[in-house]
Amino acid sequence: VPTRPSSTSLGSCEFVHAQAEAMPFPDASFDAVTCVYLMHELPPAARRALAAEVSRVLAPGGVLVVADSIQLGDRPKLDKNLGRFGDFNEPY
């Protein structure tokens, strides 16, 4: 992870590489925040830090969209079905 955020512009978009737990943006600076397949990779303390940081940068009335996958142990009653994931979704 770089010690300083790096960014590249593409049209009206800017791609910024930084830690999700310490975003280099002002408070309430986004109308929408997305988080795709990240949460299950983070330890609980980092998840809490990420949630606090999203709350900080999300403008009042903004939208948070989270897409993630369930992991073994998240919902013990469903653990027996997780091995079937590849049967209906991957590798396509």
Side-chain angles (χ1 to χ4, degrees):
V1 175
T3 56
R4 290 175 27 127
S6 60
S7 64
T8 304
S9 290
L10 178 64
S12 63
C13 295
E14 184 177 354
F15 297 92
V16 177
H17 182 192
Q19 288 185 296
E21 305 93 325
M23 294 183 224
F25 305 112
D27 294 355
S29 56
F30 291 95
D31 294 320
V33 173
T34 62
C35 183
V36 180
Y37 292 107
L38 172 66
M39 298 301 276
H40 74 273
E41 300 288 350
L42 300 175
R47 289 180 196 176
R48 287 188 293 276
L50 172 60
E53 191 65 355
V54 166
S55 179
R56 182 187 70 77
V57 300
L58 196 58
V63 176
L64 169 62
V65 177
V66 176
D68 211 301
S69 61
I70 191 169
Q71 302 296 304
L72 283 172
D74 287 345
R75 303 288 186 275
K77 289 182 180 183
L78 300 177
D79 281 355
K80 67 179 185 275
N81 297 314
L82 291 183
R84 296 193 59 232
F85 183 73
D87 295 344
F88 62 87
N89 191 24
E90 293 182 356
Y92 306 109

Coordinates of all heavy atoms in Angstrom, one line a residue:
V1 N 0.9 -1.2 0.0 CA 0.0 0.0 0.0 C 0.9 1.2 0.0 O 1.8 1.4 0.8 CB -0.9 0.0 1.2 CG1 -1.7 1.3 1.3 CG2 -1.8 -1.2 1.2
P2 N 0.6 2.1 -0.9 CA 1.5 3.3 -1.0 C 1.3 4.2 0.3 O 0.2 4.2 0.9 CB 1.0 4.1 -2.2 CG -0.3 3.5 -2.6 CD -0.4 2.1 -2.0
T3 N 2.3 4.9 0.7 CA 2.2 5.8 1.9 C 1.4 7.0 1.5 O 0.8 7.6 2.4 CB 3.6 6.2 2.4 OG1 4.3 6.8 1.3 CG2 4.3 5.0 2.9
R4 N 1.3 7.4 0.3 CA 0.5 8.6 -0.1 C -0.5 8.1 -1.2 O -0.2 7.3 -2.0 CB 1.4 9.6 -0.8 CG 2.3 10.4 0.2 CD 3.3 11.3 -0.6 NE 2.7 11.8 -1.8 CZ 2.6 13.1 -2.2 NH1 3.0 14.0 -1.4 NH2 2.1 13.4 -3.3
P5 N -1.7 8.6 -1.2 CA -2.7 8.2 -2.2 C -2.2 8.6 -3.6 O -1.5 9.6 -3.7 CB -3.9 9.1 -1.8 CG -3.7 9.5 -0.4 CD -2.2 9.6 -0.2
S6 N -2.4 7.8 -4.5 CA -2.1 8.1 -5.9 C -3.4 8.2 -6.7 O -4.4 7.6 -6.4 CB -1.2 7.0 -6.5 OG -1.9 5.8 -6.5
S7 N -3.4 9.1 -7.7 CA -4.7 9.2 -8.5 C -4.4 9.4 -10.0 O -3.3 9.8 -10.4 CB -5.5 10.4 -7.9 OG -4.7 11.6 -8.2
T8 N -5.4 9.0 -10.8 CA -5.3 9.2 -12.2 C -6.7 9.6 -12.7 O -7.7 9.1 -12.2 CB -5.0 7.8 -12.9 OG1 -3.8 7.4 -12.4 CG2 -4.9 8.0 -14.4
S9 N -6.7 10.6 -13.6 CA -8.0 11.1 -14.1 C -8.3 10.4 -15.4 O -7.5 10.1 -16.2 CB -8.0 12.6 -14.3 OG -7.9 13.3 -13.1
L10 N -9.6 10.2 -15.6 CA -10.1 9.6 -16.8 C -11.5 10.3 -17.1 O -12.5 10.0 -16.5 CB -10.3 8.1 -16.7 CG -10.9 7.4 -17.9 CD1 -10.0 7.5 -19.1 CD2 -11.2 5.9 -17.6
G11 N -11.5 11.3 -18.0 CA -12.7 12.1 -18.2 C -13.0 12.8 -16.9 O -12.2 13.4 -16.3
S12 N -14.3 12.6 -16.5 CA -14.7 13.2 -15.3 C -14.6 12.3 -14.1 O -15.0 12.6 -13.0 CB -16.2 13.7 -15.4 OG -17.0 12.5 -15.6
C13 N -13.9 11.2 -14.3 CA -13.7 10.2 -13.2 C -12.3 10.4 -12.7 O -11.3 10.7 -13.4 CB -13.9 8.8 -13.6 SG -15.5 8.4 -14.1
E14 N -12.1 10.1 -11.4 CA -10.8 10.1 -10.8 C -10.6 8.8 -10.0 O -11.5 8.5 -9.2 CB -10.5 11.3 -9.9 CG -9.2 11.4 -9.4 CD -8.9 12.6 -8.5 OE1 -9.8 13.5 -8.4 OE2 -7.9 12.7 -7.9
F15 N -9.6 8.0 -10.3 CA -9.3 6.8 -9.6 C -8.3 7.1 -8.5 O -7.2 7.5 -8.9 CB -8.9 5.7 -10.6 CG -9.9 5.4 -11.6 CD1 -10.0 6.0 -12.8 CD2 -10.9 4.4 -11.3 CE1 -10.9 5.7 -13.7 CE2 -11.9 4.1 -12.2 CZ -11.9 4.8 -13.4
V16 N -8.6 6.8 -7.3 CA -7.7 7.1 -6.2 C -7.4 5.8 -5.5 O -8.3 5.0 -5.1 CB -8.3 8.1 -5.2 CG1 -7.4 8.3 -4.0 CG2 -8.7 9.4 -5.9
H17 N -6.1 5.5 -5.3 CA -5.6 4.3 -4.5 C -5.3 4.8 -3.1 O -4.3 5.5 -2.9 CB -4.4 3.8 -5.2 CG -3.9 2.5 -4.6 ND1 -2.7 2.0 -4.9 CD2 -4.4 1.7 -3.6 CE1 -2.5 0.9 -4.2 NE2 -3.5 0.7 -3.4
A18 N -6.1 4.3 -2.2 CA -5.9 4.7 -0.7 C -6.5 3.6 0.1 O -7.3 2.8 -0.3 CB -6.5 6.1 -0.5
Q19 N -6.2 3.7 1.4 CA -6.8 2.7 2.3 C -8.3 3.1 2.6 O -8.6 4.3 2.8 CB -6.1 2.7 3.7 CG -4.7 2.1 3.6 CD -4.1 2.0 5.0 OE1 -3.8 3.0 5.6 NE2 -3.9 0.8 5.4
A20 N -9.1 2.1 2.5 CA -10.6 2.3 2.8 C -10.9 2.8 4.2 O -11.8 3.5 4.4 CB -11.4 1.1 2.5
E21 N -10.0 2.5 5.1 CA -10.2 2.9 6.5 C -9.7 4.3 6.8 O -9.9 4.9 7.9 CB -9.5 2.0 7.5 CG -9.8 0.5 7.4 CD -8.8 -0.2 6.5 OE1 -8.4 0.3 5.4 OE2 -8.5 -1.4 6.8
A22 N -9.1 5.0 5.8 CA -8.6 6.3 5.9 C -8.6 7.0 4.6 O -7.6 7.3 4.0 CB -7.1 6.3 6.5
M23 N -9.8 7.3 4.1 CA -10.0 7.9 2.8 C -9.5 9.3 2.7 O -9.8 10.1 3.7 CB -11.4 7.8 2.3 CG -11.9 6.3 2.1 SD -13.6 6.3 1.5 CE -14.3 5.0 2.5
P24 N -8.8 9.7 1.7 CA -8.3 11.1 1.6 C -9.3 12.1 1.0 O -9.0 12.8 0.0 CB -7.1 10.9 0.7 CG -7.5 9.8 -0.3 CD -8.3 8.9 0.6
F25 N -10.5 12.1 1.5 CA -11.6 12.9 1.0 C -12.2 13.7 2.1 O -12.3 13.3 3.3 CB -12.7 12.1 0.3 CG -12.2 11.2 -0.7 CD1 -12.2 9.8 -0.6 CD2 -11.6 11.7 -1.9 CE1 -11.7 9.0 -1.6 CE2 -11.1 10.9 -2.9 CZ -11.2 9.5 -2.7
P26 N -12.8 14.9 1.8 CA -13.5 15.7 2.9 C -14.7 15.0 3.4 O -15.3 14.1 2.7 CB -13.8 17.0 2.1 CG -13.1 17.0 0.8 CD -12.8 15.5 0.5
D27 N -15.2 15.4 4.5 CA -16.5 14.9 5.1 C -17.6 15.2 4.1 O -17.6 16.2 3.4 CB -16.8 15.6 6.4 CG -15.8 15.3 7.5 OD1 -14.9 14.4 7.3 OD2 -15.9 15.9 8.6
A28 N -18.6 14.3 4.0 CA -19.8 14.5 3.3 C -19.5 14.8 1.8 O -20.2 15.6 1.2 CB -20.7 15.5 3.9
S29 N -18.5 14.2 1.2 CA -18.1 14.5 -0.2 C -18.6 13.6 -1.2 O -18.4 13.9 -2.4 CB -16.6 14.6 -0.3 OG -16.0 13.4 0.1
F30 N -19.4 12.6 -0.9 CA -19.9 11.7 -1.9 C -21.4 11.5 -1.7 O -21.9 11.3 -0.6 CB -19.3 10.3 -1.8 CG -17.8 10.3 -2.3 CD1 -16.8 10.5 -1.3 CD2 -17.5 10.2 -3.6 CE1 -15.5 10.5 -1.7 CE2 -16.2 10.3 -4.0 CZ -15.2 10.4 -3.1
D31 N -22.1 11.4 -2.8 CA -23.6 11.1 -2.8 C -23.8 9.6 -2.8 O -24.9 9.1 -2.4 CB -24.3 11.7 -4.0 CG -24.3 13.2 -4.0 OD1 -24.5 13.8 -2.9 OD2 -24.1 13.8 -5.1
A32 N -22.8 8.8 -3.2 CA -22.9 7.4 -3.2 C -21.5 6.7 -3.0 O -20.5 7.3 -3.4 CB -23.5 6.9 -4.6
V33 N -21.5 5.6 -2.3 CA -20.3 4.9 -2.0 C -20.7 3.4 -2.3 O -21.7 2.9 -1.9 CB -19.9 5.0 -0.5 CG1 -18.7 4.1 -0.2 CG2 -19.5 6.4 -0.2
T34 N -19.8 2.7 -3.0 CA -19.9 1.3 -3.3 C -18.8 0.5 -2.7 O -17.7 1.0 -2.5 CB -20.0 1.0 -4.8 OG1 -18.7 1.4 -5.4 CG2 -21.1 1.7 -5.5
C35 N -19.1 -0.7 -2.3 CA -18.1 -1.6 -1.7 C -18.4 -3.0 -2.2 O -19.5 -3.6 -1.8 CB -18.2 -1.6 -0.1 SG -17.0 -2.6 0.7
V36 N -17.6 -3.5 -3.1 CA -17.9 -4.7 -3.8 C -16.8 -5.8 -3.4 O -15.6 -5.6 -3.7 CB -17.9 -4.5 -5.3 CG1 -18.2 -5.8 -6.1 CG2 -18.9 -3.4 -5.7
Y37 N -17.3 -6.9 -2.8 CA -16.4 -8.0 -2.5 C -15.2 -7.6 -1.6 O -14.1 -8.1 -1.9 CB -16.0 -8.8 -3.7 CG -17.2 -9.5 -4.3 CD1 -17.8 -9.1 -5.5 CD2 -17.8 -10.6 -3.6 CE1 -18.9 -9.7 -6.0 CE2 -18.9 -11.2 -4.2 CZ -19.5 -10.8 -5.3 OH -20.6 -11.4 -5.8
L38 N -15.4 -6.7 -0.7 CA -14.3 -6.4 0.2 C -14.5 -6.8 1.6 O -13.6 -7.3 2.3 CB -14.1 -4.8 0.1 CG -13.1 -4.3 1.1 CD1 -11.6 -4.8 0.8 CD2 -13.1 -2.8 1.1
M39 N -15.7 -6.6 2.1 CA -16.0 -6.8 3.5 C -15.6 -8.1 4.1 O -15.0 -8.2 5.2 CB -17.5 -6.5 3.8 CG -17.9 -5.1 3.5 SD -17.1 -3.8 4.4 CE -18.0 -3.8 5.9
H40 N -15.8 -9.2 3.3 CA -15.4 -10.5 3.8 C -13.9 -10.7 3.9 O -13.4 -11.6 4.6 CB -16.1 -11.6 3.0 CG -15.4 -11.9 1.7 ND1 -15.8 -11.1 0.6 CD2 -14.5 -12.7 1.3 CE1 -15.1 -11.5 -0.5 NE2 -14.3 -12.5 -0.1
E41 N -13.1 -9.9 3.3 CA -11.7 -9.9 3.3 C -11.1 -9.2 4.5 O -9.9 -9.4 4.8 CB -11.1 -9.3 2.1 CG -11.5 -10.0 0.8 CD -10.9 -11.4 0.6 OE1 -10.0 -11.8 1.3 OE2 -11.3 -12.1 -0.4
L42 N -11.9 -8.4 5.2 CA -11.4 -7.6 6.3 C -11.6 -8.2 7.7 O -12.7 -8.8 7.9 CB -12.1 -6.2 6.3 CG -11.9 -5.4 5.0 CD1 -12.7 -4.1 5.1 CD2 -10.4 -5.1 4.8
P43 N -10.7 -8.0 8.6 CA -11.0 -8.4 10.0 C -12.0 -7.5 10.6 O -12.2 -6.4 10.1 CB -9.6 -8.3 10.7 CG -8.8 -7.4 9.8 CD -9.3 -7.5 8.4
P44 N -12.7 -7.9 11.6 CA -13.8 -7.1 12.2 C -13.4 -5.7 12.6 O -14.2 -4.8 12.3 CB -14.2 -7.9 13.5 CG -13.8 -9.3 13.1 CD -12.6 -9.3 12.3
A45 N -12.2 -5.5 13.1 CA -11.8 -4.1 13.4 C -11.7 -3.2 12.2 O -12.1 -2.0 12.2 CB -10.5 -4.1 14.2
A46 N -11.2 -3.8 11.1 CA -11.1 -3.0 9.9 C -12.5 -2.8 9.3 O -12.7 -1.7 8.7 CB -10.2 -3.7 8.9
R47 N -13.4 -3.7 9.4 CA -14.8 -3.5 8.9 C -15.4 -2.3 9.7 O -16.1 -1.5 9.1 CB -15.6 -4.8 9.2 CG -15.3 -5.9 8.3 CD -16.2 -7.1 8.6 NE -15.7 -8.3 8.0 CZ -16.2 -9.5 8.2 NH1 -17.3 -9.6 8.9 NH2 -15.6 -10.5 7.6
R48 N -15.2 -2.3 11.0 CA -15.8 -1.2 11.8 C -15.2 0.2 11.3 O -15.9 1.2 11.2 CB -15.6 -1.4 13.3 CG -16.5 -2.5 13.8 CD -16.4 -2.6 15.3 NE -15.1 -3.1 15.8 CZ -14.8 -4.3 15.9 NH1 -15.7 -5.3 15.5 NH2 -13.6 -4.7 16.3
A49 N -13.9 0.2 11.1 CA -13.2 1.4 10.7 C -13.7 1.8 9.3 O -13.9 3.0 9.0 CB -11.7 1.2 10.7
L50 N -13.9 0.9 8.4 CA -14.4 1.2 7.1 C -15.8 1.8 7.2 O -16.1 2.8 6.5 CB -14.4 -0.1 6.2 CG -15.1 0.1 4.9 CD1 -14.4 1.1 4.0 CD2 -15.1 -1.3 4.1
A51 N -16.6 1.2 8.0 CA -18.0 1.7 8.2 C -18.0 3.1 8.7 O -18.8 4.0 8.2 CB -18.8 0.8 9.1
A52 N -17.1 3.4 9.6 CA -17.0 4.7 10.2 C -16.6 5.7 9.1 O -17.1 6.8 9.0 CB -16.1 4.8 11.4
E53 N -15.6 5.3 8.3 CA -15.1 6.2 7.3 C -16.1 6.4 6.2 O -16.2 7.5 5.7 CB -13.8 5.5 6.7 CG -13.0 6.4 5.8 CD -12.4 7.6 6.5 OE1 -12.6 7.9 7.7 OE2 -11.7 8.4 5.8
V54 N -16.8 5.4 5.8 CA -17.9 5.6 4.8 C -18.9 6.5 5.3 O -19.4 7.4 4.6 CB -18.6 4.2 4.4 CG1 -19.9 4.4 3.7 CG2 -17.6 3.4 3.6
S55 N -19.3 6.4 6.6 CA -20.2 7.3 7.2 C -19.7 8.8 7.2 O -20.5 9.7 7.0 CB -20.5 6.9 8.7 OG -21.4 7.7 9.3
R56 N -18.4 8.9 7.3 CA -17.8 10.3 7.3 C -17.9 10.9 5.9 O -18.2 12.1 5.8 CB -16.4 10.2 7.8 CG -15.7 11.5 7.9 CD -14.2 11.4 8.2 NE -13.4 10.8 7.1 CZ -13.1 11.5 6.0 NH1 -13.4 12.7 5.8 NH2 -12.3 10.9 5.1
V57 N -17.5 10.1 4.9 CA -17.5 10.7 3.5 C -18.8 10.8 2.8 O -18.9 11.5 1.8 CB -16.4 10.0 2.7 CG1 -15.0 10.1 3.3 CG2 -16.8 8.6 2.3
L58 N -19.8 10.0 3.3 CA -21.1 10.0 2.6 C -21.9 11.2 3.0 O -22.1 11.5 4.2 CB -21.8 8.7 3.0 CG -23.0 8.3 2.1 CD1 -22.6 8.1 0.7 CD2 -23.6 7.0 2.7
A59 N -22.4 11.9 2.0 CA -23.2 13.1 2.3 C -24.6 12.7 2.9 O -25.0 11.6 2.7 CB -23.5 13.8 1.0
P60 N -25.2 13.6 3.7 CA -26.5 13.3 4.2 C -27.5 12.9 3.1 O -27.5 13.5 2.1 CB -26.9 14.6 4.9 CG -25.6 15.3 5.2 CD -24.7 14.9 4.1
G61 N -28.2 11.8 3.3 CA -29.1 11.3 2.3 C -28.5 10.5 1.2 O -29.1 10.0 0.3
G62 N -27.1 10.3 1.4 CA -26.4 9.5 0.4 C -26.7 8.0 0.4 O -27.4 7.6 1.4
V63 N -26.2 7.3 -0.5 CA -26.5 5.9 -0.7 C -25.2 5.0 -0.5 O -24.2 5.4 -1.2 CB -27.2 5.6 -2.0 CG1 -27.4 4.1 -2.2 CG2 -28.5 6.3 -2.2
L64 N -25.3 4.0 0.3 CA -24.2 3.0 0.4 C -24.7 1.7 -0.2 O -25.8 1.2 0.1 CB -23.8 2.8 1.8 CG -22.9 1.6 2.1 CD1 -21.5 1.8 1.4 CD2 -22.7 1.4 3.6
V65 N -23.9 1.2 -1.2 CA -24.2 -0.1 -1.8 C -23.1 -1.1 -1.5 O -22.0 -0.8 -1.8 CB -24.4 0.0 -3.4 CG1 -24.6 -1.3 -4.0 CG2 -25.4 1.1 -3.7
V66 N -23.5 -2.2 -0.9 CA -22.5 -3.2 -0.5 C -22.9 -4.5 -1.2 O -24.1 -5.0 -1.1 CB -22.5 -3.5 1.0 CG1 -21.5 -4.6 1.4 CG2 -22.1 -2.2 1.7
A67 N -22.0 -5.1 -1.9 CA -22.2 -6.4 -2.5 C -21.1 -7.3 -2.0 O -19.9 -7.0 -2.1 CB -22.2 -6.4 -4.0
D68 N -21.4 -8.4 -1.4 CA -20.4 -9.3 -0.9 C -20.9 -10.7 -0.9 O -22.0 -11.0 -1.3 CB -20.0 -8.9 0.6 CG -18.6 -9.2 0.9 OD1 -18.2 -10.3 0.8 OD2 -17.9 -8.2 1.2
S69 N -20.0 -11.6 -0.5 CA -20.4 -13.1 -0.5 C -20.4 -13.5 0.9 O -19.6 -13.0 1.8 CB -19.4 -13.9 -1.3 OG -18.1 -13.8 -0.8
I70 N -21.2 -14.5 1.2 CA -21.3 -15.1 2.5 C -20.1 -16.0 2.7 O -19.6 -16.6 1.7 CB -22.6 -15.9 2.7 CG1 -22.8 -16.3 4.2 CG2 -22.8 -17.0 1.8 CD1 -24.2 -16.8 4.5
Q71 N -19.5 -16.1 3.8 CA -18.4 -17.0 4.1 C -18.7 -18.0 5.1 O -19.7 -17.9 5.9 CB -17.2 -16.1 4.6 CG -16.8 -15.0 3.7 CD -16.3 -15.5 2.4 OE1 -15.3 -16.3 2.4 NE2 -16.9 -15.1 1.3
L72 N -17.9 -19.1 5.2 CA -18.2 -20.2 6.2 C -18.2 -19.6 7.6 O -17.4 -18.7 7.9 CB -17.1 -21.2 6.1 CG -17.2 -22.2 5.0 CD1 -15.9 -23.1 4.9 CD2 -18.4 -23.1 5.1
G73 N -19.2 -19.9 8.3 CA -19.3 -19.4 9.7 C -20.2 -18.2 9.8 O -20.6 -17.9 10.9
D74 N -20.4 -17.4 8.7 CA -21.3 -16.2 8.8 C -22.7 -16.6 9.2 O -23.3 -15.9 10.0 CB -21.3 -15.5 7.5 CG -20.0 -14.7 7.2 OD1 -19.2 -14.6 8.1 OD2 -19.8 -14.3 6.0
R75 N -23.2 -17.6 8.6 CA -24.5 -18.1 8.9 C -24.4 -19.7 8.9 O -24.6 -20.3 7.9 CB -25.5 -17.8 7.8 CG -25.6 -16.3 7.5 CD -26.4 -15.6 8.6 NE -26.7 -14.2 8.3 CZ -25.8 -13.2 8.5 NH1 -24.6 -13.4 9.0 NH2 -26.1 -11.9 8.3
P76 N -24.1 -20.2 10.1 CA -23.8 -21.6 10.3 C -24.9 -22.6 9.6 O -24.5 -23.6 9.0 CB -23.8 -21.9 11.8 CG -23.3 -20.5 12.3 CD -24.0 -19.5 11.4
K77 N -26.1 -22.2 9.6 CA -27.2 -23.0 9.0 C -27.0 -23.1 7.5 O -27.4 -24.1 6.9 CB -28.6 -22.5 9.3 CG -29.0 -22.7 10.7 CD -30.4 -22.2 10.9 CE -30.8 -22.4 12.4 NZ -32.2 -22.0 12.6
L78 N -26.3 -22.2 6.9 CA -26.1 -22.2 5.4 C -24.7 -22.8 5.0 O -24.5 -23.0 3.8 CB -26.2 -20.8 4.8 CG -27.5 -20.1 5.1 CD1 -27.5 -18.7 4.5 CD2 -28.7 -20.9 4.4
D79 N -23.8 -23.1 6.0 CA -22.5 -23.6 5.7 C -22.5 -24.8 4.7 O -21.7 -24.9 3.8 CB -21.7 -23.9 6.9 CG -21.2 -22.7 7.6 OD1 -21.3 -21.6 7.1 OD2 -20.6 -22.8 8.8
K80 N -23.5 -25.7 4.9 CA -23.5 -26.9 4.1 C -23.7 -26.6 2.7 O -23.4 -27.5 1.8 CB -24.5 -27.9 4.7 CG -26.0 -27.4 4.5 CD -27.0 -28.4 5.1 CE -28.4 -28.0 4.8 NZ -29.0 -27.1 5.8
N81 N -24.3 -25.5 2.3 CA -24.6 -25.1 0.9 C -23.5 -24.3 0.2 O -23.5 -24.2 -1.0 CB -25.9 -24.3 0.9 CG -27.1 -25.2 1.3 OD1 -27.2 -26.3 1.0 ND2 -27.9 -24.6 2.2
L82 N -22.5 -23.8 1.0 CA -21.5 -23.0 0.4 C -20.6 -23.7 -0.6 O -20.2 -23.1 -1.6 CB -20.7 -22.3 1.4 CG -21.4 -21.2 2.3 CD1 -20.4 -20.6 3.3 CD2 -22.0 -20.2 1.4
G83 N -20.4 -25.0 -0.4 CA -19.6 -25.7 -1.4 C -20.3 -25.8 -2.8 O -19.6 -26.2 -3.7
R84 N -21.6 -25.6 -2.8 CA -22.3 -25.7 -4.1 C -22.2 -24.4 -4.9 O -22.7 -24.3 -6.0 CB -23.8 -26.0 -3.8 CG -24.0 -27.3 -3.2 CD -25.4 -27.7 -3.2 NE -25.9 -27.8 -4.6 CZ -27.1 -27.2 -5.0 NH1 -27.8 -26.5 -4.2 NH2 -27.4 -27.3 -6.2
F85 N -21.5 -23.4 -4.4 CA -21.4 -22.1 -5.1 C -21.0 -22.3 -6.5 O -21.5 -21.7 -7.5 CB -20.5 -21.2 -4.3 CG -20.4 -19.8 -4.9 CD1 -21.4 -18.9 -4.8 CD2 -19.2 -19.4 -5.6 CE1 -21.3 -17.6 -5.3 CE2 -19.1 -18.1 -6.1 CZ -20.2 -17.2 -6.0
G86 N -19.9 -23.0 -6.7 CA -19.4 -23.3 -8.1 C -20.3 -24.0 -9.0 O -20.3 -23.9 -10.2
D87 N -21.3 -24.8 -8.4 CA -22.3 -25.5 -9.2 C -23.2 -24.6 -10.0 O -23.7 -25.0 -11.1 CB -23.1 -26.4 -8.4 CG -22.3 -27.5 -7.7 OD1 -21.2 -27.8 -8.1 OD2 -22.9 -28.1 -6.8
F88 N -23.4 -23.4 -9.5 CA -24.4 -22.5 -10.2 C -23.9 -21.2 -10.6 O -24.6 -20.4 -11.2 CB -25.7 -22.4 -9.3 CG -25.4 -21.7 -8.0 CD1 -25.4 -20.3 -7.9 CD2 -25.2 -22.5 -6.9 CE1 -25.2 -19.7 -6.7 CE2 -25.0 -21.9 -5.6 CZ -25.0 -20.5 -5.5
N89 N -22.6 -20.9 -10.3 CA -22.1 -19.5 -10.6 C -20.8 -19.5 -11.3 O -20.6 -18.7 -12.2 CB -22.0 -18.7 -9.3 CG -21.8 -17.3 -9.5 OD1 -22.2 -16.7 -10.6 ND2 -21.2 -16.6 -8.6
E90 N -19.9 -20.3 -10.9 CA -18.6 -20.2 -11.5 C -18.3 -21.4 -12.4 O -18.9 -22.4 -12.2 CB -17.5 -20.1 -10.4 CG -17.7 -18.8 -9.6 CD -16.6 -18.6 -8.5 OE1 -15.8 -19.5 -8.3 OE2 -16.6 -17.6 -7.9
P91 N -17.4 -21.3 -13.3 CA -16.5 -20.2 -13.6 C -16.9 -19.2 -14.6 O -16.1 -18.5 -15.2 CB -15.3 -21.0 -14.2 CG -15.9 -22.2 -14.9 CD -17.2 -22.5 -14.1
Y92 N -18.2 -19.1 -14.9 CA -18.6 -18.2 -16.0 C -19.1 -16.9 -15.5 O -20.0 -16.8 -14.8 CB -19.7 -18.9 -16.9 CG -19.2 -20.2 -17.4 CD1 -19.7 -21.4 -16.9 CD2 -18.2 -20.3 -18.3 CE1 -19.3 -22.6 -17.4 CE2 -17.8 -21.5 -18.8 CZ -18.3 -22.7 -18.3 OH -17.8 -23.8 -18.8

